[in-house]
Amino acid sequence: MATEITASKPLKIDTAFNTRDLGGYKTNDGKTTKMHVFLRSDLPAQITDYSKKVLLDYGVRCVVDLRSLVEVNSMPNALRFISEIDYYSLPMLDQTTSQGFRGKMPDNMGTVYIDLLNHSQKDFGKMFHIFAQHKDSTILFNCTAGKDRTGVTAMLLLNLVGVDRETILVDYEVTESNMHTVFEEQKVMIKEKYGIDVPDYVFSSERFQMEIAIDYLEKKWGDAEKYLLDAVVSEEDLRIVKSMFVD
């Protein structure tokens, strides 16, 4: 009987609903990803001092913010101003949130993920170098919803250490339910403020959208390790990241 795969649960942080540990997932060679190493997250912009303490107590000492400079300037990351945390802004464009939903909408989010893999490859390379430099910390990486730019990052991390496709997809899918209330409010706000009807798929995390990205990764590069080496990440940095992440 197949073992049911369960996505990690969000940490209990106010005003952030998709902050999740990537630990506890099985790899193809029987290992388990470690807890307190990588947190994928939506934007922790308005969290309270209590929640900041929760994250500090959890071990967070490095934050990589993947939002565009416009997003960062309009809604700063609350973790940016904590002295114990090293904060990095690594802007990536996702064709939707990063443009305030006012650009041409993509056909589906899978095409956005392909675009990220192609056009943000150097930035993904920089990110994994940052990861390796903070090998003794818990690292939080975020975009706005913790679904798209964050989702591709999580996919690369999990693929790198040999987590199977099904687990990666389960981890991706759960964002939609975690963020459902926020997404509904956001759709109404965008309609009222800008008169824009954002397609439902932009707010979804149906598995086929990440499958498109994984299929493309495998067809063009083979796997995340080859992709990151092509992004000029050193073999030593990749070794460090893998040793950080698996038992």
Side-chain angles (χ1 to χ4, degrees), residues 15-71:
T15 73
F17 307 100
N18 198 29
T19 304
R20 298 186 278 120
D21 201 310
L22 289 180
Y25 291 140
K26 297 295 183 184
T27 66
N28 292 323
D29 58 358
K31 298 177 182 177
T32 303
T33 57
K34 295 179 186 176
M35 303 291 291
H36 293 263
V37 178
F38 290 109
L39 289 175
R40 57 175 297 169
S41 184
D42 52 328
L43 174 60
Q46 297 173 313
I47 61 173
T48 62
D49 289 342
Y50 169 80
S51 290
K52 293 174 187 176
K53 184 176 185 304
V54 168
L55 291 172
L56 284 172
D57 289 347
Y58 203 81
V60 174
R61 294 296 182 274
C62 173
V63 169
V64 182
D65 193 332
L66 306 178
R67 296 175 301 144
S68 67
L69 292 178
V70 171
E71 293 171 279

Side-chain angles (χ1 to χ4, degrees), residues 33-241:
T33 57
K34 295 179 186 176
M35 303 291 291
H36 293 263
V37 178
F38 290 109
L39 289 175
R40 57 175 297 169
S41 184
D42 52 328
L43 174 60
Q46 297 173 313
I47 61 173
T48 62
D49 289 342
Y50 169 80
S51 290
K52 293 174 187 176
K53 184 176 185 304
V54 168
L55 291 172
L56 284 172
D57 289 347
Y58 203 81
V60 174
R61 294 296 182 274
C62 173
V63 169
V64 182
D65 193 332
L66 306 178
R67 296 175 301 144
S68 67
L69 292 178
V70 171
E71 293 171 279
V72 168
N73 291 331
S74 65
M75 191 168 286
N77 190 321
L79 303 179
R80 178 177 186 171
F81 307 104
I82 298 176
S83 60
E84 296 96 326
I85 290 177
D86 292 329
Y87 172 86
Y88 299 87
S89 175
L90 201 61
M92 294 187 184
L93 302 180
D94 66 356
Q95 302 176 41
T96 54
T97 313
S98 62
Q99 299 180 79
F101 300 99
R102 282 175 280 187
K104 182 180 181 299
M105 288 293 111
D107 294 330
N108 59 65
M109 297 311 294
T111 62
V112 173
Y113 304 158
I114 288 174
D115 187 73
L116 281 168
L117 288 170
N118 281 327
H119 296 115
S120 297
Q121 187 175 14
K122 288 183 179 179
D123 291 319
F124 282 116
K126 291 176 185 176
M127 189 185 339
F128 276 72
H129 178 62
I130 291 169
F131 291 166
Q133 290 180 308
H134 291 81
K135 62 182 178 180
D136 298 319
S137 303
T138 300
I139 299 166
L140 181 148
F141 55 93
N142 74 276
C143 51
T144 297
K147 178 173 77 73
D148 303 317
R149 291 163 284 190
T150 294
V152 174
T153 302
M155 180 272 285
L156 290 171
L157 272 168
L158 294 171
N159 182 280
L160 177 67
V161 296
V163 172
D164 65 87
R165 175 186 287 234
E166 180 63 20
T167 302
I168 293 172
L169 295 175
V170 168
D171 180 76
Y172 168 74
E173 283 181 303
V174 77
T175 286
E176 188 173 350
S177 59
N178 290 343
M179 297 291 290
H180 176 73
T181 301
V182 176
F183 286 160
E184 288 302 310
E185 292 173 353
Q186 195 171 20
K187 286 167 66 175
V188 172
M189 181 275 291
I190 293 167
K191 175 65 175 176
E192 291 178 348
K193 189 172 183 179
Y194 302 111
I196 299 171
D197 287 308
V198 180
D200 287 341
Y201 63 77
V202 171
F203 295 101
S204 78
S205 56
E206 295 177 272
R207 64 169 43 211
F208 84 90
Q209 306 202 80
M210 187 56 73
E211 281 188 299
I212 290 171
I214 297 172
D215 287 342
Y216 185 80
L217 175 76
E218 291 177 348
K219 182 177 180 181
K220 185 166 183 178
W221 288 280
D223 57 27
E225 180 157 3
K226 293 184 180 69
Y227 171 81
L228 292 164
L229 288 170
D230 191 43
V232 201
V233 182
S234 70
E235 292 184 3
E236 177 63 10
D237 279 350
L238 291 182
R239 185 196 66 76
I240 291 171
V241 172

